[in-house]
Amino acid sequence: MAESTDTLGIGLLGSGRMAHVYGPKLNSHPGLRLEYVLNPNRASAERVTAMYGGRASSELEEVLDSPKVDAVVIATPTNTHVDYIAAAAMAGKSIYCEKPLDNTLERVDSCLATLKAYPVPFMLGFNRRFDPDNAAVRKAVANGELGKVNFLMSTSREPAPPPIDYVRASGGYFLDAQIHDIDLLCWIAGERPEKVFSAGSCVFDPDIGAEGDVDLAMTTLMMPSGAIAHINNSRACIYGFDQRLEVFGTEGMLQTLNHHIDPLIRWSGTTTEARAPLKHFFLERYDTSFYNALDEFYGAVTDGRTPSTTEHDGRAALAIALACKSSQRQGVAVAPDY
Amino acid sequence: MAESTDTLGIGLLGSGRMAHVYGPKLNSHPGLRLEYVLNPNRASAERVTAMYGGRASSELEEVLDSPKVDAVVIATPTNTHVDYIAAAAMAGKSIYCEKPLDNTLERVDSCLATLKAYPVPFMLGFNRRFDPDNAAVRKAVANGELGKVNFLMSTSREPAPPPIDYVRASGGYFLDAQIHDIDLLCWIAGERPEKVFSAGSCVFDPDIGAEGDVDLAMTTLMMPSGAIAHINNSRACIYGFDQRLEVFGTEGMLQTLNHHIDPLIRWSGTTTEARAPLKHFFLERYDTSFYNALDEFYGAVTDGRTPSTTEHDGRAALAIALACKSSQRQGVAVAPDY
Amino acid sequence: MAESTDTLGIGLLGSGRMAHVYGPKLNSHPGLRLEYVLNPNRASAERVTAMYGGRASSELEEVLDSPKVDAVVIATPTNTHVDYIAAAAMAGKSIYCEKPLDNTLERVDSCLATLKAYPVPFMLGFNRRFDPDNAAVRKAVANGELGKVNFLMSTSREPAPPPIDYVRASGGYFLDAQIHDIDLLCWIAGERPEKVFSAGSCVFDPDIGAEGDVDLAMTTLMMPSGAIAHINNSRACIYGFDQRLEVFGTEGMLQTLNHHIDPLIRWSGTTTEARAPLKHFFLERYDTSFYNALDEFYGAVTDGRTPSTTEHDGRAALAIALACKSSQRQGVAVAPDY
Amino acid sequence: MAESTDTLGIGLLGSGRMAHVYGPKLNSHPGLRLEYVLNPNRASAERVTAMYGGRASSELEEVLDSPKVDAVVIATPTNTHVDYIAAAAMAGKSIYCEKPLDNTLERVDSCLATLKAYPVPFMLGFNRRFDPDNAAVRKAVANGELGKVNFLMSTSREPAPPPIDYVRASGGYFLDAQIHDIDLLCWIAGERPEKVFSAGSCVFDPDIGAEGDVDLAMTTLMMPSGAIAHINNSRACIYGFDQRLEVFGTEGMLQTLNHHIDPLIRWSGTTTEARAPLKHFFLERYDTSFYNALDEFYGAVTDGRTPSTTEHDGRAALAIALACKSSQRQGVAVAPDY
């Protein structure tokens, strides 16, 4: 696809795991072209440009000063998001930022002030909203297919606990992972909880418990309309990456199905009607959602409309996740600090 | 349940495997009471009466002469059915006879003449019609739920080949087993084939092939309305007794499900959403149908109406099965000798 | 079935709705015989004996003094259970009592003291344990099929809210209905929660809210092993009586399926692979469980062993349900008063 | 993707419906580049180039003489395939040809002779082999997962009868449509039938019957190994494009699932566990397979290996389909003229 006024030049900030998620999508999307990959360690950036194109840079100014860069995709460590957003916003670039904005409300509020002062198009990458299955649930609910929604459930179980270094830097299970379920259920419900209650325990990896974190978590979200939502999360799951939604309303119920590594139904001497194991983890299960999220970003920027997932969604999800973390420690229902 | 004018006294003819199928149902049905069990070998009959009650007898006259015997249930070897029917009909007893009437049309026609001359209530035990799942298909089709029916399929796979002595006496796979699928599909379709074509091979047990019989069979039934039906049968099936119907019409399709040995859905490291193996064979899978068939017999006799499965159904199913057997040998479509 | 030393003569206390649930099972169970039906209003008792046999009585003494009465089945209003248990225990009768024992821990403790002083065989009718599907889950878990259990879920949604008079007398949603899920999950998990948290709201019937009760409820049970259990309940459900279990452990997951009003899979112009609506309510869905519960009672009494569901199970379930009710009102996790 | 020695320049012959299927895949495949679109009516070709690029031409010589054209994709009416193949083979171009080669064995044999004389890489577009679900069945069977295969079934039901002009030019239902099922089952079975039997009727569109064609068809394929295969086809299906495979062997059974227009499970007041209607027709259901087929062609040509679907597969499938057509008319089993 030739460069044109219709395409957006992208500066990809970061060259770690997520850069390899976004890289192929930036390449295959007809409206996006990868211009720069940034990493203070230039060699790391070069490993990404070798695979997906663009120029490697170790200098943020070089990227933001380039007239070919229309927008940045921020895929750096969480604690750098707010600073990169500020720099890009002041440079007038459109911004797509991996979730979360930050792990503290203070820095998120500072970020929101910056974005208010420098109002560039901004999208937060809550990619699961852009998964076709999850999006179909939201659409059916929004169309009124379920009547008044009264119960929502999100089940997210990961195949195996992450390395302990990852856990340490993650902000804990609620902020790192459950925040996805929180954002998804609030988006589908069309409302945010007044109070939350969370329980958690450490049953898989004692090192996680030693960090004061949990690897099994369950949350109740109490919504203003009287609806109640349930999230259950596990850091280990022998049959793969279990991802299911259930939404129950006055007119019916909707459920999503898991995704398997092959499409067959098997009958044998030991089991019947059996499906294959699940797709291993989020890179396999949600691959499409990252493309679709970038596509939403592209569409919003080129159409001049607000992206469907904003910094305000990010702040709300963080406030809820922090309330969950606090509730789990105190054993009481907690009101999020919206 | 006390003896009353509402209950039917039953003479059970035969004390083999099927006697043990009918025995418990004769006991638990509130309208039936087991009076006699007949076997020329009285000791064999006594083993049945020891379990289910009634008096053992080795003399047919004793059974048929008893005023306490209102009806007979014939569960003897196939080649004796016609003679027992004749004796019972002449004695004025109501008759429930295990399928088939006989393996030759000549003797079946003689039997029909007898029943015309001595018109007692008569029911043929095509038990699968009385299975709740199969009956639900028939009911939905009869209610017009599918519009005009155009395609029917019956899959019947047995867990393992029968002993070769059984095979030898059975009349062959089409007469012994496929006759069930034939009767079921004609009953559901509400019509009988003008022509049939069958293919067969011996892939499991060479001894069956040595007898000139097949252990894998497939039949096409060409109906007057233009509907076409398909039957597939196998004498071996590693996952159990596979029993499925599919009926496709202008307004939709209906399918039945297999029955498993336990009700759970299992997710493990090797399979997901798996069901347990199937119920082993017809005694487990169709147990209810035998009770329901006896109940239909009881209802028809006491209400004075014709039982829903008649000697004419039996003759038609035999004519079709014989046409299938002939077709498989000749490689041409054959018209049943109705 | 003739009266014998092997059969238990039953005095059925109560002649309301539950008497019509137990009546047919007392009749069809070969080891039980219905001797008496008690109601202070003798005419009411006679309506039951007219259908299922036995003698009607308006006097408890008549029933308990009869040498033909070996055991009582208590199916009276909840607030009379403790008194009937005391009378029957002092009379040396074996006792099967509908759940719950009572709605207060004080009266339950008094009942336990009575049963300690008069140690007759006693069984509490938590019938859902005896549903074949639920029992299969328990058996598989007990066999270690799931490894260490970490998450349990029970979904129970009723087709429509009960009459408000029923609600008023019920002790509230947690004591009336969720107590079933509580007992089931603790029985399957093999442990009882240290703390519980419950949320609830009134979204279906404002009259229920006016009574201070909820018609939507969600509970988290925090188990000593680190396992966490989730219960969700709804007093209304447009697709029928939704009853599902999910148990997740280190080695896999088990789920139960709902029960439909017919066995067919339907494909039409609007939906595909569709099942029929669910069985309407507990009388239809759990009919078998009541028979199986009586069978367990019979087996325990005749074998001289303790029935598998005891008064201590009843006390624990009540303590947990009361903690849930309290938690929902206070917004904090509550430790049950075991 | 820049032009390189790794990419194949494609001359797309034909600009009708199938050109619009292949056009987008030629564009998105990184190894293929669309150079020409040919139609004797140049305006028609231009409508295709306007959408997918390349140059429009009304002259075959122009296309075949171009050094930029490495291969042709033949998507013209069936009766022109053989001539285009001959011209392209003589010009030394690699050839991908839509199925079928032709509707007569005589012309197909002439085509095979041409391809023997001018041995260019040739692939026949039996696209369903390249559908991921069908390919997974073949792979599992080839890996021995089922042991010895004994029964195969292909169900293909189209949403609505085609226009009568299409029917007239199609060669009849067996050659036009069932040939897909024939090729697929023989490919999976790894063998071709010794004899076939087909039944057919006209139940949907009397105009189809007036042409001597059928709109409901059922075929039995009798394999040398003793395996038996079943195909059922319908020109109308109210719930969409029904596409299912079932393969049964000594070690188990495999089935494929239909594809729905959305991923949700729905529970409502009328149905439960319902899926959405099926994808409408082959363009929606098999879209991926066309891309994958072109990818196989690309891989074979660039790797210098024989494409996995050859002209010999095409001849065999035609011989079988002709035998089916003949069998349906004569009512006898027919041996294909291999």
Side-chain angles (χ1 to χ4, degrees), chain A residues 246-269:
Chain A
E246 174 173 325
V247 186
F248 168 68
T250 50
E251 300 302 315
M253 175 167 70
L254 293 174
Q255 295 173 311
T256 60
L257 289 164
N258 267 308
H259 290 208
H260 305 82
I261 58 171
D262 81 32
L264 302 177
I265 308 290
R266 286 178 166 86
W267 304 61
S268 74

Coordinates of all heavy atoms in Angstrom, one line a residue, chain A residues 246-269:
Chain A
E246 N -20.8 -14.3 30.3 CA -22.2 -14.7 30.4 C -22.9 -13.4 30.9 O -22.5 -12.8 31.8 CB -22.4 -15.8 31.5 CG -23.8 -16.1 31.7 CD -24.0 -17.4 32.6 OE1 -23.2 -18.3 32.5 OE2 -24.9 -17.4 33.4
V247 N -24.0 -13.1 30.2 CA -24.8 -11.9 30.5 C -26.2 -12.3 30.6 O -26.7 -12.9 29.6 CB -24.5 -10.7 29.5 CG1 -25.3 -9.5 30.0 CG2 -23.1 -10.4 29.4
F248 N -26.9 -12.0 31.7 CA -28.2 -12.5 31.9 C -29.1 -11.3 32.1 O -28.8 -10.4 33.0 CB -28.2 -13.4 33.2 CG -29.5 -13.7 33.8 CD1 -30.4 -14.6 33.1 CD2 -29.9 -13.3 35.0 CE1 -31.6 -14.9 33.7 CE2 -31.1 -13.6 35.6 CZ -32.0 -14.4 34.9
G249 N -30.2 -11.2 31.4 CA -31.1 -10.1 31.5 C -32.6 -10.6 31.6 O -32.8 -11.8 31.6
T250 N -33.5 -9.6 31.6 CA -34.9 -10.0 31.8 C -35.4 -10.8 30.6 O -36.4 -11.5 30.7 CB -35.7 -8.8 32.0 OG1 -35.4 -7.8 31.0 CG2 -35.5 -8.1 33.4
E251 N -34.8 -10.6 29.4 CA -35.3 -11.2 28.2 C -34.5 -12.4 27.8 O -34.8 -13.1 26.7 CB -35.4 -10.2 27.1 CG -36.3 -9.0 27.3 CD -37.7 -9.5 27.7 OE1 -38.2 -10.3 26.9 OE2 -38.3 -8.9 28.6
G252 N -33.4 -12.7 28.4 CA -32.6 -13.9 28.0 C -31.2 -13.9 28.5 O -30.8 -13.0 29.4
M253 N -30.4 -14.8 28.0 CA -29.0 -14.9 28.4 C -28.1 -15.0 27.2 O -28.5 -15.7 26.2 CB -28.8 -16.0 29.4 CG -27.3 -16.3 29.7 SD -27.0 -17.4 31.1 CE -27.5 -18.9 30.4
L254 N -26.9 -14.5 27.2 CA -25.9 -14.7 26.2 C -24.7 -15.3 26.8 O -24.3 -14.9 27.9 CB -25.5 -13.3 25.5 CG -26.6 -12.6 24.7 CD1 -26.1 -11.3 24.3 CD2 -27.0 -13.5 23.5
Q255 N -24.0 -16.1 26.0 CA -22.7 -16.7 26.5 C -21.8 -16.7 25.3 O -22.2 -16.8 24.1 CB -22.9 -18.1 26.9 CG -23.8 -18.3 28.2 CD -24.0 -19.7 28.5 OE1 -24.4 -20.5 27.6 NE2 -23.8 -20.1 29.7
T256 N -20.5 -16.6 25.6 CA -19.5 -16.8 24.6 C -18.8 -18.1 24.8 O -18.9 -18.7 25.9 CB -18.4 -15.7 24.6 OG1 -17.8 -15.7 25.9 CG2 -19.0 -14.3 24.3
L257 N -18.2 -18.6 23.7 CA -17.5 -19.9 23.8 C -16.0 -19.7 23.8 O -15.5 -18.8 23.3 CB -17.9 -20.7 22.5 CG -19.3 -21.2 22.4 CD1 -19.7 -21.6 21.0 CD2 -19.5 -22.4 23.4
N258 N -15.3 -20.7 24.3 CA -13.9 -20.7 24.3 C -13.4 -21.1 22.8 O -14.1 -21.6 22.0 CB -13.3 -21.7 25.3 CG -13.0 -21.1 26.6 OD1 -12.3 -20.0 26.6 ND2 -13.5 -21.6 27.7
H259 N -12.1 -20.7 22.6 CA -11.5 -21.0 21.3 C -10.5 -22.1 21.4 O -9.6 -22.1 22.3 CB -10.8 -19.7 20.8 CG -11.7 -18.6 20.4 ND1 -11.4 -17.7 19.4 CD2 -13.0 -18.3 20.8 CE1 -12.4 -16.9 19.3 NE2 -13.4 -17.2 20.1
H260 N -10.6 -23.1 20.5 CA -9.8 -24.3 20.6 C -8.7 -24.3 19.6 O -8.7 -23.6 18.6 CB -10.7 -25.5 20.4 CG -11.9 -25.6 21.3 ND1 -13.0 -24.9 21.1 CD2 -12.0 -26.2 22.5 CE1 -13.9 -25.1 22.1 NE2 -13.3 -25.9 23.0
I261 N -7.7 -25.2 19.8 CA -6.6 -25.2 18.9 C -6.9 -25.9 17.6 O -6.1 -25.8 16.6 CB -5.3 -25.8 19.6 CG1 -5.6 -27.2 20.0 CG2 -4.8 -24.9 20.7 CD1 -4.3 -27.9 20.5
D262 N -8.0 -26.7 17.6 CA -8.4 -27.2 16.3 C -9.9 -27.3 16.3 O -10.6 -27.2 17.3 CB -7.7 -28.5 15.9 CG -8.3 -29.7 16.5 OD1 -9.5 -29.8 16.8 OD2 -7.5 -30.7 16.7
P263 N -10.6 -27.4 15.1 CA -12.0 -27.3 15.0 C -12.8 -28.6 15.2 O -14.0 -28.6 15.0 CB -12.2 -26.7 13.6 CG -11.1 -27.4 12.8 CD -9.9 -27.5 13.8
L264 N -12.2 -29.7 15.5 CA -12.8 -31.0 15.4 C -13.6 -31.4 16.7 O -13.2 -31.0 17.8 CB -11.8 -32.0 15.1 CG -11.0 -31.8 13.8 CD1 -10.0 -32.8 13.5 CD2 -12.0 -31.7 12.6
I265 N -14.6 -32.2 16.5 CA -15.3 -33.0 17.5 C -14.7 -34.4 17.5 O -14.8 -35.0 16.4 CB -16.8 -33.0 17.3 CG1 -17.4 -31.6 17.0 CG2 -17.5 -33.7 18.4 CD1 -17.4 -30.7 18.2
R266 N -14.3 -34.9 18.6 CA -13.7 -36.2 18.7 C -14.5 -37.2 19.5 O -14.8 -36.8 20.7 CB -12.3 -36.1 19.2 CG -11.3 -35.5 18.2 CD -9.9 -35.3 18.9 NE -8.9 -35.1 17.8 CZ -8.6 -33.8 17.4 NH1 -9.2 -32.8 17.9 NH2 -7.7 -33.7 16.5
W267 N -14.6 -38.4 19.0 CA -15.2 -39.5 19.8 C -14.2 -40.6 19.8 O -13.7 -41.1 18.8 CB -16.5 -40.0 19.1 CG -17.5 -39.0 18.8 CD1 -17.4 -37.8 18.0 CD2 -18.9 -39.0 19.3 NE1 -18.6 -37.1 18.0 CE2 -19.5 -37.8 18.8 CE3 -19.6 -39.9 20.1 CZ2 -20.9 -37.5 19.0 CZ3 -21.0 -39.6 20.3 CH2 -21.6 -38.4 19.8
S268 N -13.9 -41.1 21.0 CA -12.9 -42.1 21.2 C -13.4 -43.1 22.2 O -14.5 -43.0 22.7 CB -11.6 -41.5 21.5 OG -11.6 -41.1 22.9
G269 N -12.5 -44.0 22.6 CA -12.8 -45.0 23.6 C -12.9 -44.4 25.0 O -13.5 -45.0 25.9

